[in-house]
Structures are given as structure tokens and as C-alpha cells.
């Protein structure tokens, strides 16, 4: 066979098949323009003997982060993946590809799907790197997830698995704004927060029908009666004796009652 170690410069664009043939002609550097699907190009470059000066254009709309990483390592020229609209891969692969200065992506639109469960920190990094939809699964306490997912919005399809048995209403209502999917909070046994936060959380997530609720700050009888749960409600109520008499509380609720006004009947008390 031909044993040539010099450089080759190809005028005109190559596809993956002709690229493989050109690379077989020399162990030296090849300068060329090549386009094709990421998978086909990776296959064509499998036996590459050196890092060539290949202007690579990825032609497919959907590809893997693994293939983009390989292509990036196979050429000294930036990989043009600006036509790619969807990338799938592990969190580590996606973080590398999205941060690479040598891979051109449309980060205003490219959607990414993360394989397997992802840490909250990695998910936040990935969401920050693209304005496209992120599809992923994350697990953790409501507090930890809400603190970590600052860059994640409701445009994303995030499956949230909550750990622990307690959560603040604030964390739950804010987590609900970070995914387009419903959040299963049925494992949460106690929710604590202001009346506004508790009301918002009970609407925003899917909680157990017997979830216990602790409300911070004073509330009225009408506000307590509007909370739908068969669990224990712990709160401080203020109102006249007439108002407090309309309380539809359970005998298991832990309510501190503060009677306002100066008159009350013995029955009301």
C-alpha cells in the first residue's frame, strides 16, 4: 500500500465515505471540509492517525453529546453543530459539549435530554448553558432542590422526586415554577409556611390528602376553612366569638384561638 506521511489539502467538500478514503492515504495532516451526521462522521474518523484540520459540519438535527465530544477531539478546527436542535447524553457529556468553545451550537434553542438522574447542581449548570428545553430527572429535598435550581424554569420538562417528609410551602410553590410537569409531593407529611405560601403550594403540587399543615402567622376562620386536608392543621386563629363558632375544624387540629371583641355567649365559648 501507499506509505505517505505528508499533508493533504482537499479542495471541495467531502462526505463521510470519501473522508475515510482520504485519511487512509496518509499519516500526515489532512485539511478538508466535511459534512454528515455526527454518527457517520465519528465512524469515518475512527482510524484517524492524527488530529487533522477538518472543518466539520454536523448535518443532523438530533445527535448525542458523546459523538460531538469525539468529533471535537478529532479536529483542530471548531465543529459546526449550529443546525443541531436536540442533544442527548449524560450530565457530564452535556456539560462538556455545552461549555466547549470549539463546538458551535445554537444555545438559544438547542434542547437537551439528560440520561439518568442528574444532580441538582449539574441540572442547573446545563439549564444555564442553553435556552432550549431541558428534559431531566432530579431527586432531593424540596429545600435543597429549590436552592440549587436557580437557572431552571417552567419551560423545562423536569421530573422532580422529593425526598424527606417535611417541606416549606415556599420551597414547594417555587419548585413548581421550575418544571412543566406536575410535582408529586405525596411523600411530604408536613408543610409549613404562611397562609399565602401554603395555599399556593397546595395548588401547585400534588400532595397527600392527609398532609399536615402548620401555618405561621395569624389566620381567620374563613381562611382555615378553605384549606383542604384531612391532616392536622396547626395555626393561630383570631376572630370574634361569632366568627370562631363557624370553625369547621377537626378534633385533631392544633388551633390556638384568640377571641377579639368584648362580648360572647356561653355557647360560643
Amino acid at each position: 500500500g501507499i506509505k505517505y506521511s505528508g499533508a493533504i489539502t482537499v479542495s471541495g467538500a467531502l462526505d463521510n465515505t470519501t473522508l475515510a478514503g482520504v485519511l487512509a492515504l496518509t499519516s500526515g495532516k489532512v485539511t478538508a471540509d466535511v459534512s454528515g451526521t455526527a454518527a457517520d462522521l465519528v465512524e469515518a474518523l475512527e482510524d484517524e492517525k492524527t488530529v487533522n484540520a477538518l472543518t466539520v459540519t454536523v448535518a443532523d438535527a438530533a445527535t448525542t453529546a458523546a459523538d460531538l465530544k469525539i468529533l471535537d477531539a478529532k479536529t483542530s478546527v471548531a465543529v459546526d453543530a449550529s443546525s443541531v436542535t436536540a442533544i442527548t447524553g449524560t450530565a457530564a457529556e452535556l456539560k462538556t459539549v455545552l461549555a466547549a468553545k470549539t463546538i458551535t451550537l445554537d444555545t438559544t434553542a438547542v434542547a437537551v435530554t439528560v440520561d439518568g438522574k442528574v444532580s441538582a447542581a449539574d441540572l442547573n449548570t446545563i439549564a444555564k448553558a442553553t435556552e432550549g428545553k431541558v428534559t431531566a430527572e432530579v431527586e432531593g429535598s424540596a429545600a435543597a432542590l429549590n436552592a440549587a435550581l436557580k437557572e431552571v424554569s417552567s419551560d423545562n420538562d423536569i421530573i422532580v422526586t422529593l425526598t424527606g417528609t417535611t417541606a416549606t410551602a415556599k420551597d414547594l410553590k417555587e419548585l413548581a415554577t421550575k418544571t412543566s410537569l406536575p410535582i408529586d409531593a405525596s411523600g411530604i407529611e408536613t408543610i409549613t409556611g404562611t397562609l399565602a405560601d401554603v395555599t399556593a403550594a397546595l395548588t401547585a403540587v400534588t400532595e397527600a390528602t392527609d398532609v399536615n399543615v402548620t401555618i405561621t402567622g395569624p389566620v381567620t376562620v374563613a381562611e382555615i376553612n378553605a384549606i383542604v386536608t384531612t391532616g392536622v392543621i396547626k395555626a393561630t386563629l383570631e376572630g370574634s366569638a361569632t366568627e370562631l363558632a363557624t370553625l369547621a375544624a377537626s378534633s385533631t387540629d392544633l388551633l390556638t384561638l384568640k377571641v377579639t371583641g368584648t362580648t360572647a355567649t356561653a355557647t360560643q365559648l
Side-chain angles (χ1 to χ4, degrees):
I2 299 174
K3 294 182 179 180
Y4 179 60
S5 60
I8 295 177
T9 298
V10 180
S11 59
L14 302 176
D15 60 21
N16 59 292
T17 303
T18 51
L19 171 62
V22 172
L23 293 176
L25 295 176
T26 181
S27 59
K29 179 179 289 187
V30 173
T31 301
D33 294 344
V34 60
S35 65
T37 68
D40 286 344
L41 292 172
V42 167
E43 183 178 359
L45 292 167
E46 185 176 3
D47 296 324
E48 185 184 45
K49 300 176 180 64
T50 187
V51 176
N52 296 291
L54 303 174
T55 300
V56 176
T57 301
V58 179
D60 42 351
T63 189
T64 67
D67 281 345
L68 290 178
K69 277 185 63 180
I70 292 171
L71 290 177
D72 188 36
K74 294 286 189 178
T75 178
S76 60
V77 180
V79 174
D80 182 1
S82 58
S83 294
V84 173
T85 58
I87 306 172
T88 302
T90 64
E93 291 168 343
L94 288 165
K95 286 198 304 178
T96 298
V97 166
L98 290 169
K101 302 298 185 183
T102 48
I103 301 176
T104 303
L105 291 165
D106 181 3
T107 53
T108 66
V110 65
V112 297
T113 298
V114 187
D115 292 331
K117 285 185 179 178
V118 60
S119 73
D122 282 348
L123 176 56
N124 195 63
T125 298
I126 290 168
K128 186 177 181 179
T130 179
E131 295 175 34
K133 179 180 288 187
V134 177
T135 300
E137 183 174 357
V138 66
E139 180 176 333
S141 69
L145 292 178
N146 192 40
L149 301 178
K150 298 299 184 185
E151 303 294 334
V152 183
S153 70
S154 61
D155 296 329
N156 301 300
D157 290 347
I158 310 299
I159 297 174
V160 176
T161 300
L162 295 176
T163 59
T165 57
T166 63
T168 69
K170 181 176 182 293
D171 283 332
L172 291 176
K173 76 169 187 177
E174 290 179 0
L175 271 179
T177 68
K178 300 178 187 298
T179 177
S180 64
L181 304 179
I183 293 179
D184 180 3
S186 59
I188 301 299
E189 297 174 3
T190 303
I191 298 173
T192 303
T194 65
L195 176 72
D197 285 345
V198 167
T199 302
L202 294 178
T203 301
V205 302
T206 304
E207 73 282 351
T209 57
D210 61 349
V211 65
N212 302 316
V213 174
T214 298
I215 300 174
T216 57
V219 292
T220 66
V221 172
E223 290 167 339
I224 281 289
N225 286 342
I227 295 175
V228 180
T229 180
T230 59
V232 175
I233 300 175
K234 184 177 181 180
T236 298
L237 278 74
E238 290 185 0
S240 67
T242 300
E243 290 170 335
L244 293 176
T246 65
L247 181 63
S250 163
S251 60
T252 60
D253 288 336
L254 302 174
L255 303 177
T256 300
L257 306 181
K258 292 185 177 181
V259 182
T260 59
T262 56
T263 61
T265 67
T267 303
Q268 289 171 334
L269 294 176

